Every structure is written in structure tokens, then in C-alpha cells.
Amino acid sequence: MGFDQMETNQAPQEAPQAPAPGKDATMAIAGNKYTAANDLMFEDCLRSIIQKAKTGKTYSSYKNQFCPKPKQSPFGDFPPEYLPPKSSIASTEAEKTGMSPEAAKMKKTVKKGEGIGGKTASLLPKKEIPIPPAPKAGAALKRKIPVSEFRKFYDRGDLPICVKHTGSGCTIYWKAKIADLDYHHYLPKFFDGIREKQDPYRFLAIQGVFDMLEQGGAKVIPVIPQLIIPIKTALNARDPEVIAITLKILQKLVTCANYVGEALVPYYRQILPIFNLYKMNNVNIGDKIDYGQRKKLNLGELIQETLELFEQTGGDDAFINIKYMIPTYESCILNQDSFLQDYSPHHSLSVSYTHLRAHETLRYLVCRLLLEKKKREK
């Protein structure tokens, strides 16, 4: 039998097809996509290369003083009685000098001619009293990041995810269908992990949030009240990297399904104060080119884009509530000329902030402008 006949007798083999998302019990998502979670990992690698080239030291996210300390072992921290004793400064000095630790703690005596005690008058120049610097409020300083519930659940093995390492990067591997998950239980846990700055917790939490929002649809709307505290905690960390990824997640949240933006309007008072703090945090480089703008790390631009999405998806009352919390925000929808002609008696070019005094109703926050508009329509 010849070689040509062997080829004709063989049955044609079908090319393997990739499983569609949601149809297989186990699936890997974001394998070859450029996602926000992968972007953070690339930034850490780039930061490590630059720091090693400049200082010779390797960057490590575990050396961040604001992040929670990792566990000493996979089973938790060791008991205090099993830890090695910490060597104090006094014991180190005692070993060098041969004195006892108690003697090393005592202050050294002043030698002859060094002190000024006992003198009623002195010709020495008067010591200048140091002027204390002006106190700083520290509103934009970084805060300590508390341990998230996502870290505890992942270490305990209660989340249906794991990291899949591939040649092109890391991917998240779901052990169950995302559509079959209980969003009331899992989505708040994933949102609680977006403030993490250490992998794999950061990568899994952020990528898991994007995957669940992409396939959640209307299941996200009843879970919104449970997401406010994790979002507020992440924003209150005052960390630019955490705030940037939180803003990207908020943009995905209000566009994942209809009426999500309107359901988020009652919680503007808890979310927008941090927006007002960093709204003018832009990079002024003159006529230079910002080659990193594709990464969307400029907080001022991110906040402006997020506020515009809030107004576009939040319904009729979104602009009034945003304007109450952020007076410098200008609408991207309303016609300013007709709007000011209706509500400003002198046709001025700005709306007074004192005119936007708020009143709370049983349903959501309504400002005086809306009340006046309803009175005129009647």
C-alpha cells in the first residue's frame, strides 16, 4: 500500500474548537485580552525594572507600609512563643561594650566642660527657638489599607477561581459558570478585594469583578446597596492606583446593564467626596506628549469621564446631585443656555452653589432646583 493510499484512507480530523464562555463547567477568561488587571501586573514589572536600573534594588509590593502584612505560612501566622526573640538596641550595644542591658539603657554622663548647669549668667549666644511649620491637613495622603474579605475567602478556598499561568500572561480560571453564581454572595466579596495591592489577590479580584459585571446583566441591580461600602473603602485608601482602578470598575458598573446608573444616584453622597478631592489632579506637561495616557492613570481625566457616564446613565436627577457634591462639574448633556435662562434671573454664566441646597426625600436626594421646576410646571 503506497503513501498516497494511506492518506486517502485516513479520516479527516476536525480542528479543536475553543469552548464558548458559559457553556463549559470550567473555563478560562481573559486569556489573550488586554485587561485592567493585567495592566497592573505589567506596571509592577516595569516599575521593578526602572527601580533596579536606577537604585539597584528590586521593587516589591510586599514592602508597602500601607498594605496588610502577608501571612508567615500558608496555614497562618506562627504562635508568639515559637518566634525567635527580637534583638533590641540596648542588648546590641551591651554586646559591643560588654555592659549589662540595664546599664546600656542609661544615659551617658556629661563630661567636664560640656554642661551649662549651675550658671546664673552666660555669654553664650541665645538658642534660636525653632518655628514649627504650618500644619498640613493631609487630605490626599495615603491611608492604611485594611485586610479585605476577599483575601480571607481566597486563602480559605471558598471562591471558585484560581490563577492559570500561560505563556502570554496570567488568566483567571473559573471553576463554575459565572451565570450560575450567587451575585448577592460573591460580587460584594470581589468588590471588597479591589483595594488589594498584592498579587494574586489584586489580579483575581479585579479581573473577577470585570467578568461578573460583563455577564451579570440585570442580576447586578439588586446587589448595588451591598457594593457601596467596598467602593467607599477602596476610595478612602487615597491611593492613586487604587482610585484609578476603582473608577474604571465604576465605569463598567454603570454600563453593564440598564437602570444601574439610576440605582446608584442615592449613594452619590458616599462616593463623590473623593471625586471632588482629586478632580483637579491633572498632569500639566505643557506641549509634551504623555505616552502613558493609554493606561488611563490620570485621575483628573478618569474622574471627568466617570462623572459624565454617571450623568448619562443616571436619569434626570443625576446632574443635580452631582452638582451638589461637586460644584465645579459642568453638564455634558444639558443645554447650558436654556438651563440658565430658566433658573437664573440675571442670565449669568454660572449656577450659585448656595442655590443647590439639598433636601432628602424618602426615595433619593432632590435639590432645590428640582423643587422649583416642579412648582413651575404645576
Side-chain angles (χ1 to χ4, degrees), residues 43 62 115 163 178 202 205 219 221 225 234 315 324 342 369-370:
E43 283 297 314
Y62 290 92
V163 180
I178 300 179
R202 180 184 62 179
K219 297 171 66 175
I221 299 178
Y324 173 74
D342 294 337
L369 288 179
L370 290 179

Side-chain angles (χ1 to χ4, degrees), residues 164-185:
K164 183 179 180 181
H165 299 278
T166 61
S168 59
C170 297
T171 61
I172 181 172
Y173 191 82
W174 290 90
K175 302 176 182 178
K177 296 180 181 179
I178 300 179
D180 297 341
L181 297 178
D182 184 7
Y183 271 59
H184 284 275
H185 177 72

